[in-house]
């Protein structure tokens, strides 16, 4: 029995190997083109074993999305120390985000591209992860705004759009950094920090950009 | 013959009606789920006529992507007056972008979601449109930076990442505005202008955000 135990890997380890193979295959070839044969071969197991453990291509893809979403959100949360000033929190959060997406380009592709575009239940899984990140960023910006304005009731609705903009910019820069040779995670983080911080910082200080008035507009 | 002519619509008009119906169907139901029966019915024509004019579902989808991409880039270009100061150019460009995406939510969905995720040749069509917008925004930022620095050789590579960040933020806010009741195109434009301009403005003035140094990092 001892011999059998050492030969056989625990189910949890096998499953992780299957998910590793699946994330790589879905990320590089896309959900539709990826085949279960390919995934089983890459994982070094038989196709029936993949079905036994993970049931179907749909369930396997869902498991990939959940694992990659949990890993990304955990990486960002772990990168942020709430006791630091707001700009340092943002800098560290961005650093953690770009480090994770550059080290896991196939996982990023599964989350950002594949999961959102092959209907349900995949789109909902990806949307839930994105909503969690937007909510986290919203709270970061809200805490900074409440501190800067010395107003504990500063409305959350004033910063939701800013969080959406920041997350959208981060998504685009992750795609760009992963597709552009020579662009490092740190450069992507620094680019977004430069782009975002001075703008957010001015807003925190109550100095928004002022739209031209209608009269100027008409004569412009 | 006169009677026949007035009864029959010109081919170009019929084609535009088919494309209108196709953009709405692809945008609302997704490329895979959309059926040619549905599109023909919505356009008020027979299915064979759709095939006669536009050949196949694939060619029809490609025609939709091209038409919507051309309309969006034309709207943004028309919204920007190059003789204005950089912040006004950005404000007007963002206003034109969000006005267009809010008036054409199905076209935006075709471009931003559907086209990118159903393989080739669709992904390339969408990528070409996006690259054109990024290049346009890069030139706007570059012109502003060269003027601010009084340096006609200010390197383009320094601003490409900023253009990617700005376009990514705009994409996310267009999705958000279209999905959130009560958020207008003007609010989305103002949110992004506030977020982006002060940051870009400070960069133009040679005042980047400074990352904490390594020593501080280690002790932080």
């Amino acid at each position: 029995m001892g011999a059998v135990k050492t030969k056989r890997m625990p189910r949890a380890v096998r499953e992780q190997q299957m998910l590793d193979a699946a994330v790589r295959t879905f990320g590089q070839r896309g959900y539709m083109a990826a085949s279960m044969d390919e995934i089983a071969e890459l994982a070094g197991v038989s196709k029936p074993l993949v079905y036994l453990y993970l049931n179907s291509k749909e369930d396997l893809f869902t498991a990939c999305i959940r694992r990659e979403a949990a890993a990304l959100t955990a990486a960002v949360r772990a990168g942020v120390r709430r006791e630091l000033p707001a700009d340092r929190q943002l800098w560290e959060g961005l650093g953690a985000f770009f480090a994770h997406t550059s080290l896991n380009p196939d996982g990023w592709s599964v989350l950002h591209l594949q999961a959102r575009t092959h209907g349900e239940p995949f789109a909902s899984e990806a949307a839930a992860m994105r909503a969690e990140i937007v909510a986290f960023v919203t709270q970061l910006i809200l805490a900074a705004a409440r501190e800067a304005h010395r107003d504990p009731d500063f409305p959350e609705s004033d910063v939701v759009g800013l969080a959406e903009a920041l997350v959208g910019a981060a998504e685009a820069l992750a795609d760009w950094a992963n597709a552009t040779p020579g662009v490092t995670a740190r450069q992507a983080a620094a680019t977004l920090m430069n782009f975002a911080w001075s703008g957010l910082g001015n807003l925190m200080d109550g100095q928004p950009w002022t739209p031209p008035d209608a009269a100027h507009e008409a004569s412009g």
Side-chain angles (χ1 to χ4, degrees), chain A residues 57-199:
Chain A
K57 186 175 173 183
E58 289 71 24
D59 285 359
L60 176 58
F61 190 47
T62 301
C64 288
I65 296 169
R66 287 190 183 157
R67 190 183 76 164
E68 295 306 310
L72 177 59
T73 51
V76 172
R77 283 182 188 281
V80 173
R81 284 173 293 169
R82 299 299 292 255
E83 70 275 18
L84 293 179
D87 66 327
R88 290 293 304 274
Q89 287 190 41
L90 181 58
W91 170 242
E92 295 192 353
L94 293 175
F97 173 79
F98 288 110
H100 187 87
T101 55
S102 93
L103 287 169
N104 301 277
D106 297 328
W108 175 244
S109 169
V110 162
L111 288 177
H112 186 54
L113 197 58
Q114 297 301 322
R116 300 196 303 166
T117 53
H118 293 98
E120 297 301 343
F122 315 129
S124 296
E125 295 280 347
M129 186 271 305
R130 193 177 188 281
E132 191 184 330
I133 299 245
V134 170
F136 180 68
V137 172
T138 301
Q139 290 310 312
L140 281 188
I141 299 175
L142 187 59
R146 287 181 171 167
E147 200 181 304
H149 289 267
R150 296 166 202 271
D151 174 6
D153 300 319
F154 189 89
E156 185 172 320
S157 58
D158 278 19
V159 300
V160 173
L162 297 172
E164 287 281 352
L166 183 58
V167 170
E171 290 171 330
L173 284 177
D175 288 347
W176 174 69
N178 283 358
T180 311
V183 176
T184 66
R186 193 180 166 87
Q187 283 168 335
T191 297
L192 186 49
M193 190 68 198
N194 268 316
F195 177 67
W197 182 252
S198 307

